[in-house]
Amino acid sequence: MSNVKLEDIVSLCKRRGFIYPGSDVYGGLSGTWDYGPLGVALKRNIMQLWWKMFVDDREDMFGVDAAILMNQKVWQASGHVDTFTDPLVECSNCKSRFRADKIDLSRCPNCGQKDTFGEARAFNMMFKTNVGPVDDESSISYLRPETAQGIFTNFKNVVDSFYPDLPFGLAQQGKAFRNEISPRDFIFRSREFEQMEIEYFVHPDNWQPEFEKWVTLVHEWCDALGLPAESIHELEVPDDDRAHYSKRTIDFEFDFPIGREELLGLAYRTDFDLGNIQRESKKSMEYRPKDGSAPFVPHVIEPSFGLERALMAVLSAAYTTDEVNSEARSYLKLPSHLAPVKVAVSPLLKNKPELVEKAREVYRMLKKEFGAVMWDDNGNIGKRYRRQDEIGTPYCVVIDFETLEGDTKDTVTIRNRDTTEQTRVAIADLTNPGVLSF
Ligand code: ATP
């Protein structure tokens, strides 16, 4: 169980420009969140790390980016129109609605009245819309509730263009939408969120060893996010709880501040999806092995990563409190490759033009080299350090009077976020490997 309080993370995220409630000026829109400058940087760093690890660094992976709106036949064939539902109950006293499997049904969590819930009804979580100017059955579409189907529908296209060896995978990152009955716990359960999914196509006889390899890769991913191994738990989902298409599922859970909850899922989906597409589209989804053996419909292993849950886990793991010079400090001990700002550059005093000028020079040099570099001359130096600590900036570079003259001319201090130690380094060495390392 995490010792961090969710309120502390939510408040830091809002105060420092990571994450704001969606449509905040108009009173919000439940289940939606907007990312500010630091939030979007952190989110992109996670997405890029994922893409590097699972696509660019491998030889068996291909990226796709499918449209969010898809032909309604996709969602009929996949079973989402009929079965993508959560059980909904309504309190007969206060009319509040809840997901029946998430509450104690003997008493309404909102008004406290006893025995006010009737039978649960199946509530479909897809957002329905119409595509084009005619509002009839034929124009119905849905905002995709998962990115996976956009991968399956492109399986044949990619095989025709690239004819990859099996096993191979298709990877996609993008928005997904679910009309969750009760969005809650900050970004953990939202109505609009992002997924990073892989469909890994294998020979049906070979799914077990390939599944095991993905278990290991998921742990490597969690490690790259800086999540402590002891806060990751594998939950082997029992037969009765698994989605109907899955023959094996492991939910990877994380000790969030809200308790142990699903971070991501790994499922063996058999040939359920390609089989459905083949049946409904009447187009062959078979793969022809290069050795001339009999064609077959590949089976699929699906690691499904939720970006917001990864981000919330990263923030929870990084949130740290300690004492510096007998004062309490809270800071984000982010892995430096994920930090939204890599270096902050400051003149010791902002009313000394000679310091500011030199600091600007250093700032421009580092910005050119590293990109995510922030100019910070607000408040006194102690306040700047605290603010940069709070957003997880690994290094603060300060230009002081010693930079301008004497033996220390053209040197600056580098202050380390985690140790708060300062070292003096020549400006010319700042971009050398290992000096500021991310
Ligand atoms: P849950 O049981 O928590 O509702 P799920 O099992 O329905 O999740 P999947 O359909 O397996 O979730 O989706 C894959 C991943 O997408 C989840 O592991 C999670 O990281 C993310 N995800 C799903 N629903 C949401 C949501 N409403 N908000 C944020 N992330 C989500």
Side-chain angles (χ1 to χ4, degrees):
M1 180 75 191
S2 158
N3 296 324
V4 178
K5 290 204 208 76
L6 185 62
E7 309 92 90
D8 291 337
I9 291 179
V10 176
S11 123
L12 185 151
C13 282
K14 176 146 196 208
R15 194 171 63 248
R16 293 292 180 213
F18 282 84
I19 304 173
Y20 310 111
S23 313
D24 203 13
V25 274
Y26 288 110
L29 178 67
S30 180
T32 66
W33 298 92
D34 293 344
Y35 285 77
L38 299 182
V40 74
L42 177 55
K43 195 157 109 155
R44 277 174 195 235
N45 290 345
I46 295 175
M47 292 170 93
Q48 277 162 11
L49 178 68
W50 188 91
W51 198 267
K52 178 171 176 351
M53 214 167 142
F54 294 120
V55 183
D56 289 344
D57 286 355
R58 296 178 57 119
E59 294 176 13
D60 56 349
M61 297 288 293
F62 298 79
V64 293
D65 187 13
I68 290 176
L69 291 171
M70 302 179 85
N71 191 312
Q72 57 174 298
K73 287 182 187 156
V74 170
W75 307 110
Q76 287 158 359
S78 66
H80 282 80
V81 172
D82 291 333
T83 62
F84 194 62
T85 58
D86 270 344
L88 170 77
V89 284
E90 185 173 300
C91 169
S92 58
N93 182 47
C94 70
K95 306 292 176 218
S96 301
R97 292 172 168 189
F98 300 95
R99 218 174 112 171
D101 56 340
K102 295 279 177 198
I103 58 163
D104 168 12
L105 289 170
S106 63
R107 186 189 284 272
C108 172
N110 185 45
C111 67
Q113 289 279 319
K114 278 187 169 175
D115 303 324
T116 53
F117 293 117
E119 279 282 282
R121 75 176 166 87
F123 171 76
N124 194 300
M125 290 198 287
M126 286 198 293
F127 285 98
K128 208 177 197 176
T129 188
N130 292 87
V131 174
V134 184
D135 179 354
D136 67 8
E137 285 290 306
S138 69
S139 68
I140 290 175
S141 187
Y142 304 89
L143 298 183
R144 66 181 179 202
E146 60 172 33
T147 56
Q149 293 305 321
I151 300 181
F152 289 122
T153 48
N154 280 296
F155 166 77
K156 180 101 178 55
N157 287 336
V158 177
V159 170
D160 288 350
S161 311
F162 296 89
Y163 198 11
D165 287 325
L166 210 73
F168 72 92
L170 299 183
Q172 175 167 230
Q173 301 181 326
K175 292 271 188 182
F177 303 82
R178 296 183 187 181
N179 198 3
E180 295 280 355
I181 295 169
S182 339
R184 64 188 167 93
D185 299 325
F186 192 34
I187 53 173
F188 181 84
R189 188 173 300 287
S190 326
R191 288 184 167 136
E192 175 177 340
F193 55 98
E194 277 184 75
Q195 290 186 317
M196 305 184 289
E197 294 196 298
I198 293 164
E199 305 306 333
Y200 197 69
F201 300 97
V202 300
H203 190 283
D205 293 345
N206 220 11
W207 75 268
Q208 269 157 321
E210 295 297 340
F211 190 96
E212 295 307 331
K213 284 187 204 158
W214 278 104
V215 173
T216 306
L217 287 168
V218 165
H219 285 292
E220 285 174 16
W221 164 247
C222 294
D223 189 47
L225 289 182
L227 308 181
E230 63 275 15
S231 40
I232 307 288
H233 310 277
E234 288 179 24
L235 175 76
E236 188 78 47
V237 180
D239 290 2
D240 298 350
D241 294 347
R242 267 198 317 263
H244 56 285
Y245 52 73
S246 172
K247 284 238 179 92
R248 185 176 177 198
T249 298
I250 296 179
D251 283 349
F252 287 80
E253 299 186 318
F254 177 73
D255 292 321
F256 286 99
I258 53 172
R260 186 179 291 188
E261 295 281 354
E262 179 178 331
L263 171 67
L264 63 99
L266 175 65
Y268 167 43
R269 287 176 83 122
T270 68
D271 58 353
F272 176 79
D273 300 273
L274 290 183
N276 285 342
I277 294 176
Q278 179 164 270
R279 192 183 60 247
E280 297 302 320
S281 69
K282 315 242 174 340
K283 296 198 176 91
S284 170
M285 293 294 132
E286 283 184 334
Y287 177 84
R288 272 182 302 108
K290 290 180 182 166
D291 63 6
S293 54
F296 59 92
V297 175
H299 281 215
V300 161
I301 295 168
E302 178 195 71
S304 175
F305 303 76
L307 179 56
E308 283 73 6
R309 292 192 190 175
L311 201 147
M312 189 160 141
V314 165
L315 289 172
S316 318
Y319 191 88
T320 311
T321 49
D322 64 3
E323 245 182 40
V324 175
N325 304 329
S326 323
E327 260 184 56
R329 141 175 112 138
S330 59
Y331 70 107
L332 290 182
K333 201 171 177 175
L334 291 170
S336 49
H337 58 275
L338 294 182
V341 176
K342 306 293 183 214
V343 191
V345 180
S346 294
L348 182 66
L349 299 170
K350 76 173 186 185
N351 56 1
K352 296 282 174 207
E354 61 279 29
L355 287 181
V356 174
E357 198 184 320
K358 192 74 190 167
R360 280 276 171 203
E361 222 176 86
V362 174
Y363 168 70
R364 278 193 295 270
M365 177 186 105
L366 293 181
K367 185 129 187 94
K368 201 162 155 217
E369 185 74 18
F370 301 121
V373 176
M374 188 186 261
W375 174 259
D376 190 355
D377 61 5
N378 265 330
N380 66 38
I381 196 72
K383 290 226 174 77
R384 285 180 221 160
Y385 286 155
R386 287 306 157 85
R387 191 167 48 239
Q388 294 299 333
D389 288 348
E390 230 191 345
I391 65 173
T393 307
Y395 304 106
C396 290
V397 166
V398 174
I399 288 73
D400 56 18
F401 291 106
E402 289 178 48
T403 311
L404 302 180
E405 57 202 6
D407 291 350
T408 54
K409 192 166 185 315
D410 287 329
T411 62
V412 293
T413 60
I414 301 177
R415 188 258 193 188
N416 180 297
R417 175 195 67 198
D418 300 342
T419 61
T420 75
E421 269 166 23
Q422 298 181 26
T423 44
R424 193 160 271 284
V425 173
I427 293 173
D429 291 341
L430 280 175
T431 52
N432 286 354
V435 176
L436 300 165
S437 49
F438 315 114

